Every structure is written in structure tokens, then in C-alpha cells.
Amino acid sequence: MTTNVLRVARVLHGTTAEGPGLRSAVWFQGCTIRCPGCINPHLFSQSGGRDMTASDIVLGALASQVEGLTLIGGEPFDQPAAGATLARKAQELGLGVIVFSGYEYETLRGRGQDTKSFLASIDLLVDGPYQAWNQETDRALVGSTNQRFIHISDRYSSYRPEIAANRIDIRVLPDGSIDVAGFLDMRDLTNLLEATGTRRKSRRVIAE
Ligand code: SF4
């Protein structure tokens, strides 16, 4: 099955907080994994968010002159056909594709054709569920020690999460709220928002 329509919670073009280089980040709406301690339970429901086409997302990324897409969630592989379309279009136009999934690579490889097509259009997969009892303290971008960086192509083979820094993207919106992307744990996020006297609008999931 192919589809050009994705259910997304948020798209952020031109961020440096979601992987190497300047990126467009796409938060998928809906996650059936539901890890205990997930920082983004508001993304669990598949009825939230809005529909967007893969074409519009890729065109927005190109207009923002990003190096690539980061697909996070929610769970991108809960929408394998749409995810495959988005990733393929992005790669065809020269963009890199990084995907965070709460499923392990071996599980995904055993799934159907849509999932296989999605995997085939990814450069770097960060896999595994968030495990609150195995907090990561050394590597960038991931929240727990079980999560792996699996290079499906060599595009990001020089990326070293052991020495990379977590970056945070903070934007003040016209209504006075702040929009946060990047890696923060809940305590740091709460402290940040209290210090700035603003309220939470959205942020990146802490660990896929
Ligand atoms: S951490 Fe990711 S995979 Fe786990 S429940 Fe949250 S959104 Fe789903």
C-alpha cells in the first residue's frame, strides 16, 4: 500500500536539535508502544494531530535548505506506508533520513512490505523503546542505554553520539508560549519553563 498522507503532531523546519546538521523534524502522531515514563503521552492517540502530505513536508524541508529529515514521534513505524513514502521522497531529492523508533530493528525487519520499504529509505535508525530504569547519561539523542544507532547507509557513519552534544532549540511564539525541541529530561524542561515564566507548548520526545 502506498499513501502520501501522514498523521503528524508537528513539523519543525530548520532545527539543529534533532540530529547532525540542520534538519526538518517530523513528529508522528500516535504510538501503540506506550513506554512507561514516555515524555510525550499526548502523542499516543492516533486521533490527535493533523494530516499532512509527504510532498508538502519534503518541499518545506527543501525550502529550509536542511541536510535531512528526522522522523520521531509518536511512533513512525505505526504509519509504515506513509513513512516509507516520506522517506523515499526525501532521499530521492538528496535529503538524509534519520528515524527514531520504539521498535527494535530485528522486529521491524520481520514485518511486512511497507515496513521493509520504510527501512530501505532510512540512513540511520535509532531503535528500541525508552526504558526509564536504564537512563542514558553518555550518548546524545537517546534517553536509555538499550537504544541503538543502526547505520543502514553510511551517510551518518561519522556521527558519534558518544562525543556529540545534545542541542536545544527554543522559540518564542507570537502568543508568548515557547516551543522547545531537543533533548531535555522532564526536570530540566520544567526548570527551564519556570525560569522563563512561560508555559509548555511542545517538545521533542525524550527517547524513542
Ligand atoms: S518513547 Fe517513543 S516509542 Fe516509547 S511510548 Fe514514547 S513515543 Fe512511543
Side-chain angles (χ1 to χ4, degrees):
M1 184 177 80
T2 61
T3 175
N4 191 39
V5 179
L6 304 97
R7 194 73 180 171
V8 302
R10 179 189 180 203
V11 177
L12 179 63
H13 294 298
T15 179
T16 58
E18 304 297 346
L22 191 66
R23 314 198 65 77
S24 289
V26 181
W27 284 261
F28 282 57
Q29 180 70 40
C31 178
T32 55
I33 300 175
R34 307 196 172 188
C35 310
C38 172
I39 199 75
N40 272 340
H42 58 292
L43 300 185
F44 287 175
S45 171
Q46 294 169 338
S47 61
R50 62 191 167 118
D51 288 338
M52 288 189 72
T53 67
S55 304
D56 283 346
I57 293 171
V58 171
L59 287 175
L62 291 173
S64 301
Q65 299 185 308
V66 300
E67 188 280 330
L69 302 185
T70 298
L71 312 184
I72 50 185
E75 173 51 52
F77 278 94
D78 281 354
Q79 301 179 56
T85 301
L86 175 60
R88 187 182 67 252
K89 285 180 182 292
Q91 283 195 334
E92 286 174 351
L93 293 169
L95 297 171
V97 179
I98 299 174
V99 179
F100 287 76
S101 175
Y103 297 110
E104 294 182 340
Y105 182 48
E106 293 77 6
T107 299
L108 294 172
R109 289 184 64 183
R111 291 193 168 179
Q113 189 54 48
D114 289 337
T115 298
K116 290 184 170 70
S117 297
F118 195 179
L119 282 174
S121 297
I122 290 173
D123 295 294
L124 172 61
L125 174 72
V126 184
D127 83 336
Y130 171 60
Q131 295 179 346
W133 59 94
N134 284 323
Q135 288 288 314
E136 175 66 64
T137 57
D138 296 327
R139 298 177 299 163
L141 298 181
V142 290
S144 55
T145 56
N146 61 301
Q147 295 169 314
R148 302 176 297 180
F149 290 77
I150 297 173
H151 293 276
I152 295 175
S153 80
D154 62 5
R155 184 165 181 134
Y156 297 107
S157 59
S158 63
Y159 180 69
R160 300 279 306 281
E162 300 85 0
I163 59 174
N166 279 318
R167 304 174 71 94
I168 300 167
D169 188 341
I170 301 173
R171 303 179 189 207
V172 180
L173 303 182
D175 66 358
S177 63
I178 66 169
D179 190 59
V180 181
F183 191 95
L184 278 174
D185 65 26
M186 182 59 84
R187 184 183 57 190
D188 289 342
L189 177 62
T190 301
N191 289 342
L192 171 69
L193 297 184
E194 287 179 355
T196 57
T198 50
R199 60 185 169 81
R200 171 181 172 174
K201 184 174 180 70
S202 59
R203 54 147 296 161
R204 175 184 179 273
V205 65
I206 189 170
E208 287 287 349

